[in-house]
Amino acid sequence: CSTADRIEKWVGVSCEEVGVVDEGVSYGLQDYPCNAKASLRRKCGHCMLLPCREAFAKSTSLEACREPVKIVHPSCGHGCKVACHLADHLRSQNIRPPVVTRLIEGDIPAKLTFAGLPKCDELVTFVRKCGHVEQLPCSEISKPKRGCKLESVVKSPLCGHDIKTPCFIMNELQKAQIKCPPNQAPFAVIDSSNDFSTLSNDARKVLQSCGLRSRVILTCGHESEVECSKLLRHSENDEVADGCDKKVEVCLPCGHFIQLSCKDCNRHKQGL
């Protein structure tokens, strides 16, 4: 038959091993579309299992091998997996970086950039400028995505009570130059010169985290006890004075005296 004649007349190179097609070898024109499974063996040693006819067709036109290979990351010295063809390129560069195990904040490690390199997730000891030590993924140590979140106990700038705050928030409060009340003061200091407008939402939440109560001197002159968590809002809006319930004596236009709450007295004076 014609198929048998074509096979007999075929001129080319036969496989050295039945069922194994080697990359880079030109075996000649196809004689018969065989669909049996064959192993296409790359020069790097990796193999692909394909129909026999496809293996022969691709033996001289393969794309770069993308099988994952474990190598030493050229930037940090940790182990990582990259595509096989990239591993060959990196090995040819003969790069032998020291293994990064510890870094002090502010120091900039040498970083080599190659297309296709994965981010290294190996944990590295990171020493913050504040002195705290934590473990961060290697890929983040040169430019951490967040500030130090380790908590410290500090005096609240609003009420003077002890509150827990992440280290990076403590730095923000210090930069804001909020005037703090004296230690163990009988009254919380609501200082109108403090500017809270620049504080982040995280910093505001920390200032509002105190679960105790404080005595304050209102703008009307009376004392009041308020929740420390509301001091920030009161400092900004003077809401305490607006809600003062202290009784005061008010002289009416007729000459009689009546007692009103301080907040109602203020409304009376304003004609409300």
Side-chain angles (χ1 to χ4, degrees):
C1 67
S2 60
T3 301
D5 288 341
R6 189 166 64 252
I7 292 174
E8 285 199 13
K9 292 177 181 179
W10 178 77
V11 176
V13 179
S14 297
C15 297
E16 293 183 1
E17 185 180 345
V18 176
V20 178
V21 178
D22 288 311
E23 180 185 8
V25 177
S26 180
Y27 291 95
L29 297 175
Q30 185 184 85
D31 56 355
Y32 178 77
C34 176
N35 287 315
K37 292 297 182 181
S39 179
L40 177 52
R41 184 167 54 196
R42 291 178 173 274
K43 292 179 180 180
C44 60
H46 292 126
C47 296
M48 302 168 62
L49 196 62
L50 298 169
C52 188
R53 56 186 176 80
E54 288 187 28
F56 279 107
K58 291 183 177 182
S59 64
T60 57
S61 60
L62 278 175
E63 295 180 351
C65 180
R66 299 187 179 280
E67 284 291 320
V69 175
K70 190 170 183 178
I71 64 162
V72 173
H73 202 293
S75 290
C76 58
H78 298 132
C80 69
K81 287 187 176 182
V82 298
C84 180
H85 71 92
L86 181 58
D88 287 339
H89 171 67
L90 293 174
R91 291 192 191 102
S92 69
Q93 303 293 313
N94 198 29
I95 300 171
R96 299 178 182 274
V99 179
V100 177
T101 58
R102 180 184 175 91
L103 188 75
I104 297 175
E105 187 174 7
D107 291 349
I108 302 176
K111 288 289 182 181
L112 300 176
T113 303
F114 292 94
L117 276 180
K119 288 184 178 180
C120 179
D121 292 325
E122 189 82 16
L123 291 180
V124 173
T125 300
F126 189 64
V127 183
R128 297 274 188 180
K129 289 180 180 179
C130 59
H132 291 139
V133 179
E134 58 185 310
Q135 300 292 309
L136 288 181
C138 181
S139 57
E140 290 185 21
I141 58 174
S142 58
K143 292 183 179 180
K145 296 179 180 177
R146 56 176 176 79
C148 179
K149 286 191 173 182
L150 294 178
E151 289 188 332
S152 299
V153 176
V154 298
K155 296 290 183 183
S156 168
L158 288 177
C159 60
H161 297 134
D162 287 342
I163 57 173
K164 288 183 178 180
T165 174
C167 191
F168 77 99
I169 295 296
M170 185 166 58
N171 291 335
E172 183 181 347
L173 295 178
Q174 290 173 349
K175 289 179 181 178
Q177 297 182 337
I178 298 174
K179 295 179 181 178
C180 302
N183 291 340
Q184 299 177 344
F187 297 98
V189 177
I190 299 181
D191 195 320
S192 59
S193 65
N194 285 330
D195 182 10
F196 301 102
S197 62
T198 60
L199 292 180
S200 66
N201 288 334
D202 288 334
R204 298 176 75 87
K205 287 178 182 178
V206 168
L207 289 178
Q208 294 169 337
S209 65
C210 182
L212 302 177
R213 298 176 69 87
S214 291
R215 286 187 297 161
V216 295
I217 302 296
L218 308 180
T219 53
C220 59
H222 296 127
E223 293 181 24
S224 180
E225 190 175 272
V226 299
E227 297 174 15
C228 295
S229 60
K230 296 180 180 179
L231 281 174
L232 179 60
R233 190 170 72 246
H234 295 327
S235 298
E236 292 178 314
N237 302 323
D238 198 24
E239 292 181 12
V240 179
D242 291 339
C244 181
D245 291 320
K246 295 289 184 181
K247 295 296 183 181
V248 294
E249 196 171 61
V250 180
C251 180
L252 298 177
C254 61
H256 296 126
F257 288 87
I258 61 171
Q259 283 197 335
L260 295 175
S261 66
C262 184
K263 61 184 178 184
D264 290 336
C265 178
N266 288 330
R267 295 192 184 100
H268 174 72
K269 290 178 181 178
Q270 296 170 12
L272 299 178

